[in-house]
Amino acid sequence: MFTGIIQTQAIVEHTKHEGGVLRLTLKVANEYAQKLTMGASIAINGCCLTVVEFKALQDSDFTLIYFDVIDETLKLTNLGQLQNGHWANFERSVTVGTELGGHIISGHIHCMANITSIIHEQNNCKMHLAIDPKWQKYVLYKGFVSVNGASLTVGEVDERGFWLHLIPETLAITNLDKQREGNLLNIEVDQQTYTIINTVENYLARQAN
């Protein structure tokens, strides 16, 4: 479980595709690898991945963390598009006592959204995302959505998707400031919204029958 509050950005050190699996190697500052264990869950661009190996680099302030990303995950997320030198949003899983500053995120990506417009203004950045109509109904005005793992509030909703209003702090902490029009971002809709809408729709469908 995660909160959508990005802790840092990890740099992609190496990628290797073999047998339908991507071995993804990320480099992160040592302070974000404290008490790390094998099998730990970390959200990378919002996708929950399992640590399969890690090692601190000698004479360095960085740790390498290794993940295996299966073919199904590669189809649903943008992890397969990561290349050496790219930056990925990084969040360790919630522990007891963690401040829940965002919203509850499972790390299970529902779909990807395409960036159709980026407008830079004096104190923020407006970004429009086009999303599959199947998932559009779960994105509500002023509701929560996880974008590349960052818990964000939906600005406006239109027939093609939705707008985000990104403040300088969000742009500084996450990799959203490195995105360009046409890029794909991982989306996890708010689970509470998802559950309520599906429950109501199922109830109404049964009543109609």
Side-chain angles (χ1 to χ4, degrees), residues 3-6 46 102-106 108-113 127 129 131 135-157 161-166 170 176 185-194:
T3 68
I5 304 301
I6 303 302
H103 73 282
I104 300 301
I105 293 171
S106 69
H108 299 158
I109 303 302
H110 291 112
C111 65
M112 289 184 285
M127 181 180 292
L129 302 181
I131 191 172
W135 298 103
Q136 174 83 9
K137 62 184 177 181
Y138 303 112
V139 180
L140 307 178
Y141 173 64
K142 295 302 180 183
F144 290 118
V145 65
S146 169
V147 180
N148 262 15
S151 173
L152 299 173
T153 302
V154 177
E156 301 103 48
V157 178
F162 61 97
W163 286 90
L164 299 173
H165 298 271
L166 306 173
T170 300
L176 295 179
L185 301 180
N186 292 337
I187 301 295
E188 180 182 338
V189 300
D190 177 47
Q191 189 61 43
Q192 185 175 5
T193 301
Y194 178 86

Side-chain angles (χ1 to χ4, degrees), residues 83-173:
Q83 300 177 16
N84 296 355
H86 283 185
W87 294 89
N89 290 339
F90 181 102
E91 183 191 353
R92 297 279 298 271
S93 58
V94 171
T95 58
V96 176
T98 298
E99 180 179 352
L100 300 179
H103 73 282
I104 300 301
I105 293 171
S106 69
H108 299 158
I109 303 302
H110 291 112
C111 65
M112 289 184 285
N114 178 48
I115 301 176
T116 60
S117 179
I118 299 176
I119 303 173
H120 292 280
E121 299 180 337
Q122 183 174 1
N123 295 314
N124 64 28
C125 170
K126 292 178 63 177
M127 181 180 292
H128 184 269
L129 302 181
I131 191 172
D132 188 318
K134 173 182 177 181
W135 298 103
Q136 174 83 9
K137 62 184 177 181
Y138 303 112
V139 180
L140 307 178
Y141 173 64
K142 295 302 180 183
F144 290 118
V145 65
S146 169
V147 180
N148 262 15
S151 173
L152 299 173
T153 302
V154 177
E156 301 103 48
V157 178
D158 58 33
E159 66 281 358
R160 297 180 301 128
F162 61 97
W163 286 90
L164 299 173
H165 298 271
L166 306 173
I167 62 174
E169 179 69 10
T170 300
L171 295 173
I173 293 175

